[in-house]
Amino acid sequence: MSGMQTLREHMLAFYGKYTTAVRIIFKFLLAFAAFYWIRSVIGYQAIPSNIFVLLVLALFCSILTVKVTPVICGCLLTAQAFGLGYEAGAITVVIFLLLLILFLRFVPNDSLILILLPMAMALGAPEAVPVCFGLKRKPSSILSVSSAVLIYYLIDTLHNAPAAFKSLTDAGMTERLGVLTNGIFTNKDMVLNLLTLSAVLLLVYAVRKLSFNHSWFVAVILGALLYPLMEILGYFVLGTSFLPIPVFIGTAVSIAVALALMLFIFDVNYAGSESLQFEDDDYYYYVKAIPKVAVKKSSVSERVSMPKSEAGSEEVPSIREKPTVVNDREIKEKLEDSLKNL
Amino acid sequence: MVDEARMEVMIRLAEYESGSGKEAITIQKYHRRDYIALDMIKNFFLITIAYLLLLGLAALVFMSALTGSLNIINLTAFAAWILIGYILMLAVFLTISYFHASRRYREARKSVREYESELKKLDVLYRRKSS
């Protein structure tokens, strides 16, 4: 475990040193992955499917705020839908307008959910996204989760539409519109996924807010297990599709991803937790103080300086910093100081 | 010579003005009631558009059922249901909009107050320098 924490320190140090470059590369890769996925699933138009165009757009996204990426994804999706036919394009525009007016303007900072969840669903690990975002976001993020699920099924319907159109005896515009709207709105899998993934996010949020030890870990496990459970229920009750092996692999991947994220955002030492009780004129205070896991910085510095000395280059003295020792008395003193200021 | 304390405050102020503060400062130009009322008027039109779009989509989804039973449908009752749906949707979303707008206004006021206290701090630093 301490190896993981040392790795985390290295990664944080690296991020701190090259913040701008890391952010630009991350945004570029994210945008390009999303654009490329749209192209590979519904590449009906030549220009929005051109790799050079996608690279240029991803470059734009890399220097702009991450909120721009879902907007460009939406434009690409609409353009590809118009390649399938005017009715498909119109349905796509209407659905995007509805999502924007009814849901997305209330959660303007959830762009990452809109980009990541449809891709995670395509990769077979949809619960990874609500589990991870349940650890950091508020319950209002279910609006973004619901929108992302709807967008995934819109893309899926557009992907299957050419085959469905071929099966039509009279392929007029009305019939084609009917095929598209039925494919999206009467899809039991969509309803099940929409409810399940929203429930996963709410469950993770609710459990991690509880004050018992290891609540975050329990939240991740419960959230990730809720998805296969609901899929099994859906299979028996609603008759939805259920493939056990991919679903359980997806759950394992989701747990691994969420635990890796937890290492960065909530790494605490429960063994050192303390429960304090005190009062002032107005309130009684019940405080639970849990120390963060501290990695001795000297061990990180030593490891960083090792390869240079082994290579025979000029010996670089290792930077030995005073190790940060979490002292119980220090915590108490700090708490008492802060309480005096209440 | 550069005054480091003043520079720190100015950096914080500039970051706020160009980042999260841009919207908060605009919101704070309105009175609370005006801001919420404007937001709700905007939402009224947006929700009306959304309802019309939803009706269009619903018509497409249930097109075959509708065309089959067009003769036996009671048009007055049908229109009444559509109107009730519209009123319900307006009520739900305008309530959400009200709470959303008042929360945004509250958060904006809090952050602008912090910004103003930083401005006062900067003013004090300037006065100290000139005296």
Side-chain angles (χ1 to χ4, degrees), chain B residues 62-119:
Chain B
F62 302 110
M63 184 169 282
S64 55
L66 276 174
T67 45
S69 56
L70 206 58
N71 295 331
I72 52 168
I73 272 180
N74 181 349
L75 283 176
T76 323
F78 188 65
W81 277 113
I82 288 176
L83 194 67
I84 289 168
Y86 176 60
I87 291 167
L88 274 177
M89 190 165 154
L90 262 185
V92 170
F93 277 92
L94 286 182
T95 313
I96 295 172
S97 302
Y98 174 82
F99 286 111
H100 183 66
S102 55
R103 198 192 60 160
R104 278 179 69 177
Y105 191 86
R106 204 170 48 242
E107 283 171 1
R109 185 167 57 190
K110 195 179 158 195
S111 79
V112 168
R113 275 184 184 165
E114 282 166 16
Y115 168 70
E116 282 169 353
S117 77
E118 289 284 318
L119 276 177

Side-chain angles (χ1 to χ4, degrees), chain A residues 91 94-95 97-98 101-103 105-108 138 140 174 177-178 181-182 185-186, chain B residues 42-43 46-47 49-51 53-54 57 60-61 63 89 93 96-97 100 103-104 107:
Chain A
I91 288 279
V94 167
I95 288 174
L97 277 175
L98 279 173
I101 294 171
L102 298 178
F103 299 143
R105 67 203 173 90
F106 295 112
V107 279
K138 291 178 181 173
S140 59
T174 329
L177 276 169
T181 47
N182 283 322
F185 296 106
T186 56
Chain B
K42 187 179 81 184
N43 277 309
L46 285 175
I47 291 160
I49 293 168
Y51 189 71
L53 291 174
L54 270 177
L57 273 180
L60 287 173
V61 174
M63 184 169 282
M89 190 165 154
F93 277 92
I96 295 172
S97 302
H100 183 66
R103 198 192 60 160
R104 278 179 69 177
E107 283 171 1

Side-chain angles (χ1 to χ4, degrees), chain A residues 146-302:
Chain A
S146 311
S147 305
V149 171
L150 197 65
I151 289 169
Y152 172 77
Y153 280 97
L154 169 68
I155 294 171
D156 191 49
T157 307
L158 291 174
H159 173 69
N160 297 324
F165 288 167
K166 271 184 192 167
S167 66
L168 288 173
T169 45
D170 177 23
M173 186 182 266
T174 329
E175 285 72 24
R176 286 156 71 101
L177 276 169
V179 166
L180 290 169
T181 47
N182 283 322
I184 301 164
F185 296 106
T186 56
N187 190 335
K188 284 180 187 170
D189 280 314
M190 187 202 75
V191 178
L192 180 71
N193 270 298
L194 198 146
L195 293 175
T196 307
L197 294 175
S198 302
V200 167
L201 188 132
L202 288 178
L203 181 72
V204 173
Y205 175 81
V207 176
R208 69 117 167 141
K209 282 292 222 181
L210 298 175
S211 65
F212 66 88
N213 284 1
H214 304 287
S215 59
W216 282 52
F217 180 75
V218 174
V220 166
I221 300 295
L222 285 180
L225 289 179
L226 180 66
Y227 184 75
L229 189 75
M230 293 290 278
E231 286 287 306
I232 293 168
L233 269 176
Y235 176 70
F236 286 113
V237 178
L238 297 171
T240 52
S241 57
F242 175 64
L243 302 164
I245 295 170
V247 168
F248 286 117
I249 291 173
T251 304
V253 170
S254 305
I255 292 173
V257 170
L259 292 180
L261 179 74
M262 248 178 73
L263 194 69
F264 286 91
I265 60 172
F266 191 76
D267 193 21
V268 293
N269 174 19
Y270 281 105
S273 68
E274 286 186 58
S275 293
L276 306 166
Q277 187 186 335
F278 40 85
E279 62 180 294
D280 63 7
D281 293 341
D282 301 318
Y283 294 100
Y284 281 100
Y285 297 90
Y286 295 90
V287 177
K288 187 172 185 180
I290 309 165
K292 288 183 179 177
V293 173
V295 179
K296 288 181 182 175
K297 286 191 177 174
S298 56
S299 68
V300 177
S301 308
E302 274 169 13

